[in-house]
Amino acid sequence: MQTRTPAQHARLALLLEVAGTPKPGNVDRRRDLADLRFDHFLAGTVGAQRGLEMAADGAGVGPAFERAVEGMSAQGGGNTQFGALLLLVPLTRAARDDLSQPVVEAVVEDTTVADAAAFYRAFEHVDVFVADPPEDMAPLDVRRGADAVPALEERGLTLLDVMAGSVPGDDVAREWVTGFERSFGAAERLAEAEGPPLDRAAAVFLSLLAERPDTLVADKHGEDVAREVQERAVELHERRAVETDREAVEAFADDLVDRGINPGTTADITAAGLFIALERGVLEV
Amino acid sequence: MQTRTPAQHARLALLLEVAGTPKPGNVDRRRDLADLRFDHFLAGTVGAQRGLEMAADGAGVGPAFERAVEGMSAQGGGNTQFGALLLLVPLTRAARDDLSQPVVEAVVEDTTVADAAAFYRAFEHVDVFVADPPEDMAPLDVRRGADAVPALEERGLTLLDVMAGSVPGDDVAREWVTGFERSFGAAERLAEAEGPPLDRAAAVFLSLLAERPDTLVADKHGEDVAREVQERAVELHERRAVETDREAVEAFADDLVDRGINPGTTADITAAGLFIALERGVLEV
């Protein structure tokens, strides 16, 4: 049987992530959001191809990410997979050598100021929700896009430095400074979970949502809401509700969609976990 | 905005086809079959990449198809998109010049005995449901795979000749000898339909199912069943039930899935129509 390449596994991970259901608050196989639909995510996955292939071929993480975001955003829904790609690009780059925590740590440690500049340019391709930075960081507000590059260069900040500056508060960036610990943990849980891949994706999404408050929810709705969502996830996860009481998870999912509460960071880490599990052969499709 | 390549449009067409719902009798966003799941189709789409890129780059239709099928079949569900790829490969090849009926007719007319041999080899990668051929055609039974190649060469049959020999009885092959008329017609209807892409895919699938009895259903369950399915589709299509009485279409879909009746040929032509509509810019995602 032909085997899939790392770049193909990255795209399959994006597809399995969005299809996994129920994934409370997110677009999934059964749910669209108001302006963000399942087909936008399908198109985003197709568009991310070249950037992911660049990462697999050894390109710099920044340029590969920028290219992936540019292609991902060539659909009408806006930002679909920005955060997921920020995890998948270094992971795909690491898979070129060996997909382990030390190797992906080396990949992010090797990032440069040029990678940081490409990351900033990526924000010009798509409208990403970002909280206001502290005042002294205003020159480095990512929403400035390429206009922030001189400030980056003056301070000599690499892409890893930029990510480190976003912690705490952004749990995608946190993966960069913790050796992708939650992503690798999610992969282990995907391997141990039962049932077909989309059920496993749903169960592991819920376990991640129970683990820490979702930082996108905290940015948009405040920390109290993020903690409330986490507490409900803890209750459902502890009684393995995806397997034993699916209706309760479906109801939680519908409630979050109705309230416009979208734990996008948790979905990003789920995608990263799916990639690692596929690449290691512990999750089969 | 970055534009998608023809090979990317082909993959997006496969994704929109399988996600389109309700698509009676087929795997869709809301339904799995007993041994064939949504995630198998997602993986099949990812795997088809290289073959579709070969077609877009001008490779022979046979080798590109064989490669696409080899990659598509690298998942645990078996045959997901064999028929769809048999339409998408020549269409993607035509899109290199101009995606029109005369150009795709020229593409299939240019196929050779070597293309036919590659088509036969493709059957070695995946188990495809095929009806028994007439006795004098037994040496050319596709299920013989590469063993049939000497008989092909002796008779000097091109891939277009092989397709012509499968008409009537196989409406994927029929597209090859009719200038892909139903595929292009489906694209026009996708452009004229209303709503988001997955609703349009469902409506156009139903219109195709109403147009002619599905040949895969006829092969598996007999012509009476194929005609019964068609008649129910006619009734639903005439009153625009996808838009006006979705529950009736959902019930039809559930009934066909329960009975194991899978109009796969109609899904294949839907995918071809989606590709043409995307490539012409008349269907936006």
Side-chain angles (χ1 to χ4, degrees):
Chain A
M1 204 197 269
Q2 206 182 38
T3 51
R4 282 183 288 262
T5 64
Q8 289 177 328
H9 273 151
R11 292 207 310 287
L12 183 54
L14 291 172
L15 290 170
L16 296 176
E17 187 283 309
V18 71
T21 189
K23 230 167 49 268
N26 287 282
V27 171
D28 69 15
R29 186 171 172 186
R30 296 189 175 277
R31 287 170 191 84
D32 292 328
L33 304 184
D35 298 312
L36 193 54
R37 298 186 314 254
F38 194 66
D39 51 290
H40 294 135
F41 280 79
L42 299 178
T45 300
V46 168
Q49 176 194 346
R50 298 285 178 225
L52 291 166
E53 286 174 347
M54 283 172 66
D57 289 347
V61 167
F65 175 73
E66 187 192 355
R67 182 66 191 269
V69 167
E70 185 187 7
M72 171 276 283
S73 53
Q75 35 76 26
N79 178 23
T80 47
Q81 291 126 329
F82 189 96
L85 290 169
L86 192 50
L87 299 174
L88 288 174
V89 166
L91 288 168
T92 304
R93 178 74 179 73
R96 180 181 162 82
D97 302 317
D98 173 42
L99 185 54
S100 64
Q101 286 189 264
V103 171
V104 74
E105 281 185 290
V107 165
V108 299
E109 275 162 20
D110 284 347
T111 60
T112 62
V113 178
D115 289 316
F119 171 74
Y120 272 72
R121 284 195 300 273
F123 284 87
E124 304 199 342
H125 299 300
V126 63
D127 194 20
V128 180
F129 185 87
V130 185
D132 290 325
E135 204 166 317
D136 62 320
M137 293 292 278
L140 291 169
D141 187 339
V142 287
R143 290 168 295 190
R144 298 186 67 215
D147 290 344
V149 172
L152 272 180
E153 289 172 345
E154 194 187 326
R155 301 189 193 193
L157 297 177
T158 70
L159 184 47
L160 178 57
D161 294 331
V162 171
M163 291 294 124
S166 302
V167 176
D170 177 351
D171 274 0
V172 169
R174 184 175 176 274
E175 288 298 280
W176 274 59
V177 298
T178 59
F180 291 69
E181 66 173 21
R182 296 179 74 203
S183 301
F184 280 88
E188 281 179 28
R189 295 203 292 278
L190 283 161
E192 291 156 9
E194 283 169 18
L198 301 186
D199 289 349
R200 295 183 191 216
V204 171
F205 172 87
L206 192 65
S207 78
L208 288 165
L209 195 58
E211 203 169 74
R212 290 171 60 86
D214 186 276
T215 49
L216 183 67
V217 173
D219 278 349
K220 282 189 179 175
H221 303 275
E223 299 205 352
D224 286 352
V225 174
R227 264 194 300 273
E228 175 220 313
V229 168
Q230 181 194 9
E231 280 162 19
R232 288 178 68 180
V234 166
E235 189 273 320
L236 292 165
H237 172 56
E238 281 180 352
R239 60 191 179 92
R240 298 170 56 97
V242 170
E243 293 95 343
T244 62
D245 185 7
R246 204 175 180 98
E247 274 183 29
V249 190
E250 298 281 3
F252 180 36
D254 291 337
D255 178 46
L256 291 192
V257 169
D258 288 346
R259 292 165 63 194
I261 296 172
N262 160 230
T265 305
T266 307
D268 296 337
I269 297 171
T270 303
L274 284 161
F275 172 72
I276 296 165
L278 288 167
E279 190 65 23
R280 293 187 158 182
V282 296
L283 177 73
E284 288 185 6
V285 179
Chain B
M1 205 198 264
Q2 206 180 41
T3 52
R4 284 182 287 262
T5 63
Q8 289 177 328
H9 272 150
R11 292 208 308 286
L12 182 55
L14 290 171
L15 291 170
L16 296 177
E17 187 284 308
V18 71
T21 187
K23 231 167 50 265
N26 287 282
V27 171
D28 68 17
R29 186 170 172 185
R30 296 189 175 276
R31 287 171 191 82
D32 291 329
L33 304 183
D35 298 313
L36 193 55
R37 297 185 315 254
F38 194 65
D39 52 288
H40 294 135
F41 280 80
L42 299 178
T45 299
V46 168
Q49 175 193 347
R50 297 285 179 226
L52 290 166
E53 286 174 346
M54 284 172 65
D57 289 346
V61 167
F65 176 73
E66 186 193 354
R67 181 66 192 268
V69 167
E70 185 187 5
M72 172 276 283
S73 52
Q75 36 76 28
N79 178 22
T80 48
Q81 291 125 329
F82 189 96
L85 291 169
L86 193 50
L87 299 175
L88 288 174
V89 166
L91 287 168
T92 302
R93 178 73 177 73
R96 182 182 161 81
D97 302 317
D98 173 43
L99 185 54
S100 64
Q101 287 190 265
V103 171
V104 73
E105 282 185 290
V107 165
V108 299
E109 274 161 22
D110 284 349
T111 61
T112 62
V113 179
D115 289 316
F119 171 74
Y120 272 72
R121 285 195 300 272
F123 284 87
E124 303 200 342
H125 299 299
V126 63
D127 194 19
V128 180
F129 184 88
V130 185
D132 289 325
E135 204 166 317
D136 62 322
M137 293 292 279
L140 291 170
D141 187 339
V142 287
R143 291 168 295 191
R144 298 186 66 215
D147 291 344
V149 171
L152 272 181
E153 289 172 345
E154 194 185 328
R155 301 188 194 193
L157 297 176
T158 70
L159 183 47
L160 178 57
D161 294 332
V162 172
M163 292 293 124
S166 302
V167 177
D170 177 353
D171 274 0
V172 168
R174 185 174 174 274
E175 289 296 282
W176 275 59
V177 299
T178 60
F180 292 68
E181 64 173 20
R182 295 179 74 202
S183 301
F184 280 87
E188 281 179 27
R189 295 202 293 277
L190 283 161
E192 291 156 8
E194 283 169 17
L198 301 185
D199 288 349
R200 295 183 191 217
V204 170
F205 173 87
L206 191 65
S207 77
L208 288 164
L209 195 58
E211 203 170 74
R212 290 172 60 87
D214 187 276
T215 50
L216 183 67
V217 173
D219 278 350
K220 283 190 179 175
H221 303 275
E223 299 204 354
D224 286 352
V225 174
R227 264 194 299 271
E228 176 219 313
V229 168
Q230 181 194 10
E231 281 161 19
R232 288 178 68 181
V234 166
E235 190 272 321
L236 292 166
H237 171 58
E238 282 180 352
R239 57 189 180 95
R240 298 169 56 94
V242 170
E243 291 95 342
T244 62
D245 184 8
R246 204 175 180 98
E247 275 182 27
V249 190
E250 298 282 1
F252 180 35
D254 291 336
D255 178 47
L256 290 192
V257 169
D258 288 347
R259 292 164 65 193
I261 296 173
N262 163 230
T265 306
T266 307
D268 297 337
I269 297 171
T270 304
L274 283 161
F275 171 72
I276 297 164
L278 287 168
E279 190 64 23
R280 292 186 158 184
V282 297
L283 178 72
E284 288 185 6
V285 179

